[in-house]
Amino acid sequence: MIEKSDILPISFLKKSPFTGSFQGMRYRMEQVKADGGDCLRVILWEGPYSFDITSDEKKESQDFPFSDDGIEKAVEWLNETWEARQDRFRQAQEEW
């Protein structure tokens, strides 16, 4: 499972997107400017391809508060999504 400690701190996310992967599931976290303030956008997709090469139709995203608590909620969402689709993600990993 992904741990909050696997993710760089919020101060890093203010400067640059963060990407990672877990057993066939790839993800990206980035700061997004919104009307109500900044938010943390998390995007996930099946590997093996990078964010830039993967078509938008194959990506799924969720927004969270841009805070340490938001990172924690994002990690929970990533883990829940991986649990629900682990067979697909593992198959994608095997095809790499």
Coordinates of all heavy atoms in Angstrom, one line a residue:
M1 N 0.8 -1.2 0.0 CA 0.0 0.0 0.0 C 0.9 1.3 0.0 O 2.0 1.2 0.5 CB -0.9 0.0 1.2 CG -1.8 -1.2 1.4 SD -2.8 -1.5 -0.1 CE -4.2 -0.4 0.2
I2 N 0.3 2.3 -0.5 CA 1.0 3.6 -0.5 C 0.9 4.2 0.9 O -0.2 4.1 1.5 CB 0.4 4.5 -1.5 CG1 0.4 3.9 -2.9 CG2 1.0 5.9 -1.5 CD1 -0.4 4.6 -4.0
E3 N 1.9 4.8 1.4 CA 1.9 5.4 2.7 C 2.1 6.9 2.5 O 2.7 7.4 1.5 CB 3.1 4.9 3.6 CG 3.1 3.4 3.8 CD 2.0 3.0 4.7 OE1 1.5 3.8 5.6 OE2 1.5 1.8 4.6
K4 N 1.6 7.7 3.4 CA 1.7 9.1 3.3 C 3.2 9.5 3.3 O 3.6 10.5 2.6 CB 1.0 9.8 4.5 CG 1.0 11.3 4.4 CD 0.3 12.0 5.5 CE 0.5 13.5 5.4 NZ 0.1 14.2 6.6
S5 N 4.0 8.7 4.0 CA 5.4 9.0 4.0 C 6.1 8.8 2.7 O 7.2 9.3 2.4 CB 6.1 8.2 5.1 OG 6.0 6.8 4.8
D6 N 5.4 8.1 1.7 CA 5.9 7.9 0.4 C 5.8 9.2 -0.5 O 6.4 9.3 -1.5 CB 5.2 6.8 -0.3 CG 5.4 5.4 0.3 OD1 6.4 5.2 1.0 OD2 4.4 4.6 0.2
I7 N 5.0 10.1 0.0 CA 4.6 11.3 -0.8 C 5.5 12.5 -0.3 O 5.7 12.6 0.9 CB 3.1 11.7 -0.6 CG1 2.2 10.4 -0.9 CG2 2.8 12.8 -1.5 CD1 2.4 9.8 -2.3
L8 N 6.0 13.3 -1.2 CA 6.8 14.4 -0.8 C 5.9 15.4 0.0 O 4.7 15.5 -0.2 CB 7.4 15.1 -2.0 CG 8.5 14.2 -2.6 CD1 9.0 14.8 -3.9 CD2 9.7 13.9 -1.7
P9 N 6.5 16.3 0.8 CA 5.7 17.2 1.6 C 5.0 18.3 0.7 O 5.4 18.5 -0.4 CB 6.7 17.8 2.6 CG 8.0 17.6 2.0 CD 7.9 16.3 1.1
I10 N 4.0 18.9 1.3 CA 3.2 19.9 0.6 C 4.0 21.0 0.1 O 3.7 21.6 -1.0 CB 2.0 20.4 1.6 CG1 0.9 21.0 0.8 CG2 2.5 21.4 2.6 CD1 0.0 20.1 0.2
S11 N 5.1 21.4 0.8 CA 6.0 22.4 0.3 C 6.6 22.1 -1.0 O 6.8 23.0 -1.9 CB 7.1 22.7 1.3 OG 7.8 21.6 1.6
F12 N 6.9 20.8 -1.3 CA 7.4 20.4 -2.6 C 6.3 20.5 -3.7 O 6.6 21.0 -4.8 CB 7.9 18.9 -2.5 CG 8.3 18.4 -3.9 CD1 9.6 18.6 -4.3 CD2 7.5 17.7 -4.7 CE1 10.1 18.2 -5.5 CE2 7.9 17.3 -5.9 CZ 9.2 17.5 -6.4
L13 N 5.1 20.1 -3.3 CA 4.0 20.2 -4.3 C 3.6 21.6 -4.7 O 3.0 21.8 -5.7 CB 2.8 19.4 -3.7 CG 2.9 17.9 -3.5 CD1 1.8 17.4 -2.7 CD2 3.1 17.2 -4.8
K14 N 4.0 22.6 -3.9 CA 3.8 24.0 -4.3 C 4.7 24.3 -5.5 O 4.4 25.3 -6.2 CB 4.1 24.9 -3.2 CG 3.1 24.9 -2.1 CD 3.5 25.8 -0.9 CE 2.5 25.8 0.2 NZ 2.8 26.7 1.3
K15 N 5.8 23.6 -5.7 CA 6.8 23.9 -6.7 C 6.7 23.0 -7.9 O 7.1 23.4 -9.0 CB 8.2 23.8 -6.1 CG 8.4 24.8 -5.0 CD 9.7 24.6 -4.3 CE 9.8 25.6 -3.2 NZ 11.0 25.4 -2.4
S16 N 6.3 21.8 -7.7 CA 6.4 20.8 -8.8 C 5.4 19.6 -8.6 O 5.2 19.2 -7.5 CB 7.8 20.3 -8.9 OG 8.0 19.4 -9.9
P17 N 4.9 19.1 -9.7 CA 4.1 17.9 -9.5 C 4.9 16.7 -9.0 O 6.1 16.6 -9.2 CB 3.6 17.6 -11.0 CG 3.7 18.8 -11.7 CD 4.9 19.5 -11.1
F18 N 4.2 15.7 -8.4 CA 4.9 14.5 -7.9 C 4.2 13.3 -8.6 O 3.0 13.2 -8.7 CB 4.7 14.4 -6.4 CG 5.2 13.2 -5.8 CD1 6.5 12.9 -5.5 CD2 4.3 12.1 -5.4 CE1 7.0 11.8 -5.0 CE2 4.7 11.0 -4.9 CZ 6.1 10.8 -4.7
T19 N 5.1 12.4 -9.1 CA 4.5 11.2 -9.7 C 5.1 10.0 -8.9 O 6.1 10.0 -8.3 CB 4.9 11.1 -11.2 OG1 6.4 11.1 -11.3 CG2 4.3 12.2 -12.0
G20 N 4.3 8.9 -9.0 CA 4.7 7.7 -8.3 C 3.9 6.5 -8.9 O 3.1 6.7 -9.8
S21 N 4.2 5.3 -8.4 CA 3.5 4.2 -8.9 C 3.4 3.1 -7.8 O 4.2 3.1 -6.9 CB 4.2 3.6 -10.2 OG 5.4 3.1 -9.8
F22 N 2.4 2.2 -7.9 CA 2.3 1.1 -7.0 C 1.7 0.0 -7.7 O 0.5 0.0 -8.2 CB 1.4 1.5 -5.8 CG 1.2 0.4 -4.8 CD1 2.2 0.1 -3.9 CD2 0.0 -0.3 -4.8 CE1 2.1 -0.9 -3.0 CE2 -0.1 -1.3 -3.9 CZ 0.9 -1.6 -3.0
Q23 N 2.4 -1.1 -7.9 CA 2.0 -2.3 -8.5 C 1.0 -2.2 -9.7 O -0.1 -2.7 -9.7 CB 1.3 -3.2 -7.4 CG 2.3 -3.6 -6.4 CD 1.8 -4.5 -5.3 OE1 0.7 -5.1 -5.5 NE2 2.6 -4.8 -4.3
G24 N 1.5 -1.4 -10.7 CA 0.7 -1.2 -11.9 C -0.2 0.0 -12.0 O -0.7 0.4 -13.0
M25 N -0.3 0.7 -10.8 CA -1.1 1.9 -10.8 C -0.1 3.1 -10.8 O 0.7 3.1 -9.9 CB -2.0 1.9 -9.6 CG -2.8 3.2 -9.5 SD -3.9 3.3 -8.0 CE -2.7 3.5 -6.7
R26 N -0.3 4.0 -11.7 CA 0.6 5.2 -11.7 C -0.3 6.3 -11.2 O -1.5 6.4 -11.4 CB 1.1 5.4 -13.1 CG 1.9 4.2 -13.5 CD 2.8 4.4 -14.6 NE 3.8 5.4 -14.2 CZ 4.9 5.7 -14.8 NH1 5.2 5.0 -15.9 NH2 5.7 6.6 -14.4
Y27 N 0.4 7.3 -10.6 CA -0.4 8.5 -10.1 C 0.5 9.8 -10.2 O 1.7 9.7 -10.2 CB -0.9 8.2 -8.7 CG 0.1 7.9 -7.7 CD1 0.7 8.9 -6.9 CD2 0.5 6.6 -7.4 CE1 1.7 8.6 -6.0 CE2 1.4 6.3 -6.5 CZ 2.0 7.3 -5.7 OH 3.0 7.0 -4.8
R28 N -0.2 10.9 -10.1 CA 0.4 12.2 -10.2 C -0.3 13.1 -9.2 O -1.6 13.1 -9.2 CB 0.4 12.7 -11.6 CG 0.9 14.2 -11.7 CD 0.7 14.6 -13.2 NE 0.8 16.0 -13.3 CZ 1.8 16.6 -14.1 NH1 2.6 15.8 -14.8 NH2 1.8 17.9 -14.2
M29 N 0.4 13.9 -8.4 CA -0.2 14.9 -7.5 C 0.3 16.2 -7.9 O 1.5 16.4 -8.1 CB 0.1 14.6 -6.1 CG -0.4 13.3 -5.6 SD 0.0 13.1 -3.8 CE -0.9 11.6 -3.5
E30 N -0.6 17.2 -8.0 CA -0.2 18.6 -8.3 C -1.1 19.6 -7.7 O -2.2 19.3 -7.4 CB -0.1 18.7 -9.8 CG -1.5 18.5 -10.5 CD -1.4 18.5 -12.0 OE1 -0.4 18.9 -12.6 OE2 -2.4 18.2 -12.6
Q31 N -0.5 20.8 -7.5 CA -1.3 21.9 -7.0 C -2.1 22.5 -8.2 O -1.5 22.7 -9.2 CB -0.4 23.0 -6.4 CG -1.1 24.2 -5.9 CD -0.1 25.2 -5.3 OE1 1.1 25.2 -5.7 NE2 -0.6 26.1 -4.5
V32 N -3.4 22.8 -7.9 CA -4.2 23.4 -9.0 C -4.8 24.6 -8.4 O -5.4 24.6 -7.3 CB -5.3 22.4 -9.5 CG1 -6.2 23.0 -10.4 CG2 -4.6 21.2 -10.1
K33 N -4.8 25.7 -9.1 CA -5.4 27.0 -8.7 C -6.9 26.9 -9.0 O -7.3 26.5 -10.1 CB -4.8 28.2 -9.4 CG -3.3 28.3 -9.3 CD -3.0 28.8 -7.9 CE -1.5 29.0 -7.8 NZ -1.0 29.3 -6.4
A34 N -7.7 27.2 -8.0 CA -9.2 27.1 -8.2 C -9.8 28.4 -7.6 O -9.1 29.1 -6.8 CB -9.7 25.9 -7.5
D35 N -11.1 28.6 -7.9 CA -11.7 29.8 -7.4 C -11.8 29.9 -5.9 O -11.6 30.9 -5.3 CB -13.2 29.9 -8.0 CG -13.2 30.1 -9.5 OD1 -12.2 30.6 -10.0 OD2 -14.2 29.7 -10.1
G36 N -12.0 28.8 -5.3 CA -12.1 28.7 -3.8 C -10.8 28.6 -3.1 O -10.7 28.3 -1.9
G37 N -9.7 28.7 -3.8 CA -8.3 28.4 -3.3 C -7.7 27.3 -4.0 O -8.2 26.7 -4.9
D38 N -6.5 27.0 -3.5 CA -5.7 25.9 -4.1 C -6.3 24.5 -3.7 O -6.8 24.4 -2.6 CB -4.2 26.0 -3.7 CG -3.6 27.2 -4.3 OD1 -4.1 27.9 -5.2 OD2 -2.5 27.5 -3.8
C39 N -6.1 23.6 -4.6 CA -6.5 22.2 -4.3 C -5.4 21.3 -4.8 O -4.5 21.6 -5.6 CB -7.8 21.8 -4.9 SG -7.9 21.7 -6.7
L40 N -5.4 20.1 -4.3 CA -4.5 19.0 -4.6 C -5.2 18.1 -5.6 O -6.2 17.4 -5.2 CB -4.1 18.2 -3.4 CG -3.1 17.0 -3.6 CD1 -1.8 17.5 -4.2 CD2 -3.0 16.2 -2.3
R41 N -4.8 18.1 -6.9 CA -5.4 17.2 -7.9 C -4.5 15.9 -8.0 O -3.3 16.0 -8.1 CB -5.5 17.9 -9.2 CG -6.1 17.0 -10.3 CD -6.7 17.7 -11.4 NE -7.8 18.5 -10.9 CZ -8.1 19.7 -11.5 NH1 -7.5 20.1 -12.6 NH2 -9.1 20.4 -11.1
V42 N -5.2 14.8 -7.8 CA -4.6 13.5 -7.9 C -5.1 12.8 -9.1 O -6.3 12.7 -9.3 CB -4.8 12.7 -6.7 CG1 -4.1 11.3 -6.8 CG2 -4.3 13.4 -5.4
I43 N -4.3 12.4 -10.0 CA -4.7 11.7 -11.2 C -4.0 10.3 -11.2 O -2.8 10.2 -10.9 CB -4.2 12.5 -12.5 CG1 -4.7 13.9 -12.4 CG2 -4.6 11.8 -13.8 CD1 -3.9 14.9 -13.3
L44 N -4.8 9.3 -11.6 CA -4.3 7.9 -11.6 C -4.6 7.3 -13.0 O -5.5 7.7 -13.6 CB -4.7 7.1 -10.5 CG -6.2 6.7 -10.3 CD1 -6.6 5.5 -11.2 CD2 -6.6 6.5 -8.9
W45 N -3.8 6.3 -13.3 CA -4.0 5.6 -14.6 C -3.2 4.3 -14.5 O -2.4 4.1 -13.6 CB -3.5 6.4 -15.8 CG -2.1 6.7 -15.8 CD1 -1.1 6.0 -16.6 CD2 -1.4 7.7 -15.2 NE1 0.1 6.6 -16.4 CE2 0.0 7.6 -15.5 CE3 -1.7 8.7 -14.3 CZ2 1.0 8.5 -15.0 CZ3 -0.7 9.6 -13.8 CH2 0.6 9.5 -14.2
E46 N -3.6 3.3 -15.4 CA -2.9 2.1 -15.4 C -1.5 2.3 -16.2 O -1.5 3.0 -17.2 CB -3.7 1.0 -16.2 CG -4.9 0.6 -15.5 CD -5.7 -0.4 -16.3 OE1 -5.2 -1.1 -17.2 OE2 -6.9 -0.6 -16.0
G47 N -0.5 1.6 -15.7 CA 0.8 1.7 -16.4 C 0.7 1.0 -17.7 O -0.3 0.4 -18.1
P48 N 1.7 1.0 -18.5 CA 3.1 1.3 -18.1 C 3.5 2.7 -18.5 O 4.6 3.2 -18.2 CB 3.9 0.3 -18.9 CG 3.1 0.2 -20.2 CD 1.7 0.3 -19.8
Y49 N 2.7 3.4 -19.2 CA 3.1 4.7 -19.9 C 3.1 5.9 -18.9 O 2.4 5.9 -17.9 CB 2.3 5.0 -21.1 CG 2.4 3.9 -22.1 CD1 1.3 3.1 -22.4 CD2 3.6 3.6 -22.7 CE1 1.4 2.1 -23.3 CE2 3.7 2.6 -23.7 CZ 2.6 1.8 -24.0 OH 2.8 0.8 -24.8
S50 N 3.9 6.9 -19.2 CA 3.9 8.1 -18.4 C 2.7 8.9 -18.5 O 1.8 8.7 -19.4 CB 5.2 8.9 -18.8 OG 4.9 9.5 -20.1
F51 N 2.6 9.9 -17.7 CA 1.4 10.8 -17.7 C 1.3 11.5 -19.0 O 0.2 11.5 -19.6 CB 1.6 11.9 -16.6 CG 0.6 12.9 -16.5 CD1 -0.6 12.7 -15.8 CD2 0.7 14.1 -17.1 CE1 -1.6 13.6 -15.8 CE2 -0.3 15.1 -17.1 CZ -1.5 14.8 -16.4
D52 N 2.3 12.0 -19.6 CA 2.2 12.7 -20.9 C 1.8 11.9 -22.1 O 1.2 12.3 -23.0 CB 3.6 13.4 -21.2 CG 3.9 14.5 -20.2 OD1 2.9 15.1 -19.6 OD2 5.1 14.8 -19.9
I53 N 2.2 10.6 -22.0 CA 1.9 9.7 -23.1 C 0.5 9.1 -23.0 O -0.1 8.8 -24.0 CB 3.0 8.6 -23.3 CG1 4.3 9.3 -23.7 CG2 2.6 7.6 -24.3 CD1 5.5 8.4 -23.7
T54 N 0.0 8.9 -21.8 CA -1.3 8.2 -21.6 C -2.4 9.2 -22.0 O -2.4 10.4 -21.6 CB -1.4 7.8 -20.1 OG1 -0.3 6.9 -19.8 CG2 -2.7 7.1 -19.9
S55 N -3.4 8.7 -22.7 CA -4.5 9.6 -23.1 C -5.3 10.0 -21.9 O -5.4 9.2 -21.0 CB -5.3 8.9 -24.2 OG -6.0 7.8 -23.7
D56 N -5.9 11.1 -22.0 CA -6.8 11.6 -20.9 C -8.0 10.7 -20.6 O -8.4 10.6 -19.5 CB -7.3 13.0 -21.2 CG -6.2 14.1 -21.2 OD1 -5.1 13.8 -20.5 OD2 -6.3 15.2 -21.7
E57 N -8.4 10.0 -21.6 CA -9.6 9.1 -21.4 C -9.2 7.9 -20.5 O -10.1 7.3 -19.9 CB -10.0 8.5 -22.8 CG -10.6 9.5 -23.7 CD -9.5 10.2 -24.5 OE1 -8.5 9.6 -24.9 OE2 -9.7 11.4 -24.8
K58 N -8.0 7.6 -20.4 CA -7.5 6.5 -19.5 C -7.1 7.0 -18.1 O -6.7 6.2 -17.3 CB -6.4 5.8 -20.2 CG -6.8 5.1 -21.5 CD -5.6 4.4 -22.1 CE -6.1 3.7 -23.3 NZ -5.0 2.8 -23.9
K59 N -7.3 8.3 -17.8 CA -6.9 8.8 -16.5 C -8.2 9.1 -15.7 O -9.2 9.4 -16.2 CB -6.1 10.1 -16.7 CG -4.8 9.9 -17.4 CD -4.2 11.3 -17.7 CE -3.0 11.2 -18.6 NZ -2.5 12.5 -19.0
E60 N -8.0 9.0 -14.4 CA -9.1 9.4 -13.5 C -8.5 10.3 -12.5 O -7.4 10.2 -12.0 CB -9.6 8.1 -12.8 CG -10.7 8.2 -11.8 CD -11.1 6.9 -11.2 OE1 -10.8 5.8 -11.7 OE2 -11.8 7.0 -10.2
S61 N -9.3 11.4 -12.1 CA -8.8 12.3 -11.2 C -9.8 12.6 -10.0 O -11.0 12.4 -10.2 CB -8.4 13.6 -11.9 OG -9.6 14.3 -12.3
Q62 N -9.2 13.2 -9.0 CA -10.0 13.6 -7.8 C -9.3 14.7 -7.2 O -8.0 14.8 -7.1 CB -10.0 12.4 -6.8 CG -10.9 12.6 -5.6 CD -12.3 12.3 -5.8 OE1 -12.7 11.6 -6.7 NE2 -13.2 12.8 -5.0
D63 N -10.0 15.7 -6.7 CA -9.4 16.9 -6.0 C -9.6 16.8 -4.5 O -10.6 16.3 -4.0 CB -10.1 18.2 -6.5 CG -9.7 18.5 -7.9 OD1 -8.8 17.9 -8.5 OD2 -10.4 19.3 -8.5
F64 N -8.6 17.3 -3.8 CA -8.5 17.2 -2.3 C -8.1 18.6 -1.8 O -7.5 19.4 -2.6 CB -7.6 16.1 -1.9 CG -8.0 14.8 -2.3 CD1 -7.5 14.3 -3.5 CD2 -8.8 14.0 -1.6 CE1 -7.8 13.0 -3.9 CE2 -9.2 12.7 -2.0 CZ -8.7 12.2 -3.2
P65 N -8.3 18.9 -0.5 CA -7.7 20.1 0.0 C -6.2 20.2 -0.2 O -5.5 19.1 0.0 CB -8.1 20.1 1.5 CG -9.2 19.1 1.6 CD -9.0 18.1 0.5
F66 N -5.6 21.3 -0.5 CA -4.2 21.4 -0.6 C -3.6 21.6 0.8 O -3.3 22.8 1.2 CB -3.8 22.6 -1.5 CG -2.4 22.6 -1.9 CD1 -1.9 21.6 -2.8 CD2 -1.5 23.5 -1.4 CE1 -0.6 21.6 -3.2 CE2 -0.2 23.5 -1.8 CZ 0.3 22.5 -2.7
S67 N -3.4 20.5 1.5 CA -2.9 20.5 2.8 C -2.4 19.1 3.2 O -2.5 18.2 2.4 CB -4.0 20.8 3.8 OG -5.0 19.8 3.8
D68 N -1.7 19.0 4.3 CA -1.3 17.7 4.8 C -2.5 16.7 4.9 O -2.3 15.5 4.6 CB -0.5 17.8 6.1 CG 0.9 18.4 5.9 OD1 1.4 18.3 4.8 OD2 1.3 19.1 6.9
D69 N -3.6 17.2 5.4 CA -4.8 16.4 5.5 C -5.3 15.9 4.1 O -5.7 14.8 3.9 CB -5.9 17.1 6.2 CG -7.1 16.3 6.5 OD1 -6.9 15.1 7.0 OD2 -8.2 16.7 6.2
G70 N -5.2 16.8 3.1 CA -5.5 16.5 1.8 C -4.7 15.4 1.2 O -5.1 14.5 0.5
I71 N -3.4 15.4 1.5 CA -2.5 14.4 1.1 C -2.9 13.0 1.7 O -2.9 12.0 1.0 CB -1.0 14.7 1.4 CG1 -0.5 15.9 0.6 CG2 -0.1 13.5 1.2 CD1 0.9 16.4 1.0
E72 N -3.2 13.1 3.0 CA -3.7 11.8 3.6 C -4.9 11.3 3.0 O -5.0 10.1 2.7 CB -3.9 12.1 5.1 CG -4.1 10.9 6.0 CD -4.0 11.2 7.4 OE1 -3.2 12.0 7.9 OE2 -4.9 10.7 8.1
K73 N -5.9 12.1 2.7 CA -7.1 11.7 2.0 C -6.8 11.2 0.6 O -7.4 10.2 0.2 CB -8.1 12.8 2.0 CG -8.7 13.2 3.4 CD -9.8 14.2 3.3 CE -10.3 14.7 4.6 NZ -10.4 13.8 5.7
A74 N -5.9 11.8 -0.1 CA -5.5 11.4 -1.4 C -4.9 10.0 -1.4 O -5.2 9.1 -2.2 CB -4.5 12.4 -2.0
V75 N -4.0 9.8 -0.4 CA -3.4 8.4 -0.3 C -4.5 7.4 0.0 O -4.5 6.3 -0.5 CB -2.3 8.5 0.8 CG1 -1.9 7.0 1.2 CG2 -1.1 9.3 0.4
E76 N -5.5 7.7 0.9 CA -6.6 6.8 1.1 C -7.3 6.5 -0.2 O -7.7 5.3 -0.4 CB -7.5 7.4 2.2 CG -7.0 7.4 3.6 CD -7.9 8.2 4.5 OE1 -9.1 8.4 4.1 OE2 -7.5 8.6 5.6
W77 N -7.6 7.5 -1.0 CA -8.3 7.3 -2.2 C -7.5 6.4 -3.2 O -8.1 5.5 -3.8 CB -8.6 8.6 -2.9 CG -9.3 8.5 -4.2 CD1 -10.6 8.1 -4.5 CD2 -8.7 8.9 -5.5 NE1 -10.8 8.1 -5.8 CE2 -9.7 8.6 -6.5 CE3 -7.5 9.4 -5.9 CZ2 -9.5 8.8 -7.8 CZ3 -7.3 9.6 -7.2 CH2 -8.3 9.3 -8.2
L78 N -6.2 6.7 -3.3 CA -5.4 5.8 -4.2 C -5.4 4.4 -3.7 O -5.5 3.5 -4.5 CB -3.9 6.4 -4.2 CG -3.7 7.7 -4.9 CD1 -2.3 8.2 -4.6 CD2 -3.9 7.5 -6.4
N79 N -5.3 4.1 -2.4 CA -5.3 2.8 -1.9 C -6.6 2.1 -2.1 O -6.7 0.9 -2.4 CB -4.8 2.8 -0.4 CG -3.4 3.0 -0.2 OD1 -2.5 2.6 -1.1 ND2 -3.0 3.7 0.9
E80 N -7.7 2.8 -1.9 CA -9.0 2.3 -2.1 C -9.2 1.9 -3.6 O -9.8 0.8 -3.9 CB -10.1 3.2 -1.6 CG -10.2 3.4 -0.2 CD -11.1 4.6 0.3 OE1 -11.7 5.2 -0.6 OE2 -11.2 4.8 1.5
T81 N -8.8 2.8 -4.4 CA -8.9 2.5 -5.9 C -8.1 1.3 -6.3 O -8.5 0.4 -7.0 CB -8.5 3.7 -6.7 OG1 -9.3 4.9 -6.3 CG2 -8.7 3.5 -8.2
W82 N -6.8 1.2 -5.8 CA -6.0 0.1 -6.1 C -6.6 -1.2 -5.6 O -6.7 -2.2 -6.3 CB -4.6 0.2 -5.5 CG -3.7 -0.9 -5.9 CD1 -3.0 -0.9 -7.1 CD2 -3.5 -2.1 -5.3 NE1 -2.3 -2.1 -7.1 CE2 -2.6 -2.9 -6.1 CE3 -4.0 -2.7 -4.1 CZ2 -2.2 -4.2 -5.7 CZ3 -3.5 -4.0 -3.7 CH2 -2.7 -4.7 -4.5
E83 N -7.2 -1.2 -4.3 CA -7.8 -2.4 -3.8 C -9.0 -2.9 -4.7 O -9.1 -4.0 -4.9 CB -8.3 -2.1 -2.4 CG -7.3 -2.1 -1.3 CD -6.8 -3.5 -1.0 OE1 -7.5 -4.5 -1.1 OE2 -5.6 -3.6 -0.6
A84 N -9.8 -1.9 -5.1 CA -11.0 -2.2 -5.9 C -10.6 -2.8 -7.3 O -11.3 -3.6 -7.9 CB -11.9 -1.0 -6.1
R85 N -9.4 -2.4 -7.8 CA -9.1 -2.8 -9.2 C -7.7 -3.4 -9.3 O -7.0 -3.4 -10.3 CB -9.0 -1.5 -10.1 CG -10.3 -0.8 -10.1 CD -10.2 0.3 -11.1 NE -11.0 1.5 -10.6 CZ -10.8 2.7 -11.0 NH1 -9.9 3.0 -11.9 NH2 -11.5 3.7 -10.6
Q86 N -7.3 -4.1 -8.2 CA -5.9 -4.6 -8.1 C -5.6 -5.6 -9.2 O -4.5 -5.7 -9.7 CB -5.6 -5.2 -6.8 CG -6.5 -6.3 -6.3 CD -6.2 -6.7 -4.9 OE1 -5.1 -7.3 -4.7 NE2 -7.0 -6.5 -4.0
D87 N -6.6 -6.4 -9.6 CA -6.4 -7.4 -10.7 C -6.0 -6.6 -12.0 O -5.1 -7.1 -12.7 CB -7.6 -8.2 -10.9 CG -7.9 -9.2 -9.8 OD1 -7.0 -9.4 -9.0 OD2 -9.0 -9.7 -9.6
R88 N -6.7 -5.6 -12.3 CA -6.4 -4.8 -13.6 C -5.0 -4.2 -13.5 O -4.3 -4.2 -14.4 CB -7.5 -3.7 -13.8 CG -8.7 -4.3 -14.3 CD -9.8 -3.3 -14.6 NE -9.3 -2.0 -15.2 CZ -10.0 -0.9 -15.2 NH1 -11.1 -0.8 -14.6 NH2 -9.5 0.2 -15.8
F89 N -4.7 -3.6 -12.3 CA -3.4 -2.9 -12.2 C -2.3 -3.9 -12.2 O -1.2 -3.7 -12.8 CB -3.4 -2.1 -10.9 CG -4.2 -0.9 -10.9 CD1 -5.2 -0.7 -9.9 CD2 -4.0 0.1 -11.8 CE1 -6.0 0.5 -9.9 CE2 -4.8 1.3 -11.8 CZ -5.8 1.4 -10.9
R90 N -2.5 -5.1 -11.6 CA -1.4 -6.1 -11.6 C -1.2 -6.6 -13.0 O -0.1 -6.9 -13.4 CB -1.8 -7.2 -10.6 CG -1.5 -6.8 -9.2 CD -1.8 -7.9 -8.2 NE -1.4 -7.6 -6.9 CZ -1.9 -8.1 -5.8 NH1 -2.7 -9.1 -5.9 NH2 -1.5 -7.7 -4.6
Q91 N -2.3 -6.8 -13.7 CA -2.2 -7.3 -15.1 C -1.4 -6.2 -15.9 O -0.6 -6.6 -16.7 CB -3.6 -7.5 -15.7 CG -3.5 -8.0 -17.1 CD -4.9 -8.3 -17.7 OE1 -5.9 -8.1 -17.1 NE2 -4.9 -8.8 -19.0
A92 N -1.7 -5.0 -15.7 CA -1.0 -3.9 -16.4 C 0.5 -4.0 -16.1 O 1.4 -3.8 -17.0 CB -1.5 -2.6 -16.1
Q93 N 0.8 -4.3 -14.9 CA 2.2 -4.3 -14.4 C 2.9 -5.5 -15.1 O 4.1 -5.4 -15.5 CB 2.3 -4.5 -12.9 CG 3.7 -4.5 -12.4 CD 3.8 -4.6 -10.9 OE1 2.9 -5.1 -10.3 NE2 4.9 -4.2 -10.3
E94 N 2.2 -6.6 -15.2 CA 2.8 -7.8 -15.8 C 3.1 -7.6 -17.3 O 4.0 -8.2 -17.9 CB 1.9 -9.0 -15.7 CG 1.8 -9.5 -14.2 CD 0.8 -10.6 -14.1 OE1 0.3 -11.1 -15.1 OE2 0.6 -11.0 -12.9
E95 N 2.3 -6.7 -17.9 CA 2.5 -6.5 -19.4 C 3.6 -5.5 -19.7 O 3.9 -5.3 -20.8 CB 1.2 -5.9 -20.0 CG 0.1 -7.0 -19.9 CD -1.3 -6.5 -20.4 OE1 -1.4 -5.3 -20.7 OE2 -2.2 -7.2 -20.3
W96 N 4.2 -4.9 -18.6 CA 5.3 -3.9 -18.8 C 6.4 -4.7 -19.4 O 7.4 -4.9 -19.5 CB 5.7 -3.2 -17.5 CG 4.6 -2.3 -17.0 CD1 3.4 -2.1 -17.5 CD2 4.7 -1.5 -15.9 NE1 2.7 -1.1 -16.8 CE2 3.5 -0.8 -15.7 CE3 5.7 -1.2 -14.9 CZ2 3.3 0.1 -14.7 CZ3 5.5 -0.3 -13.9 CH2 4.2 0.3 -13.8

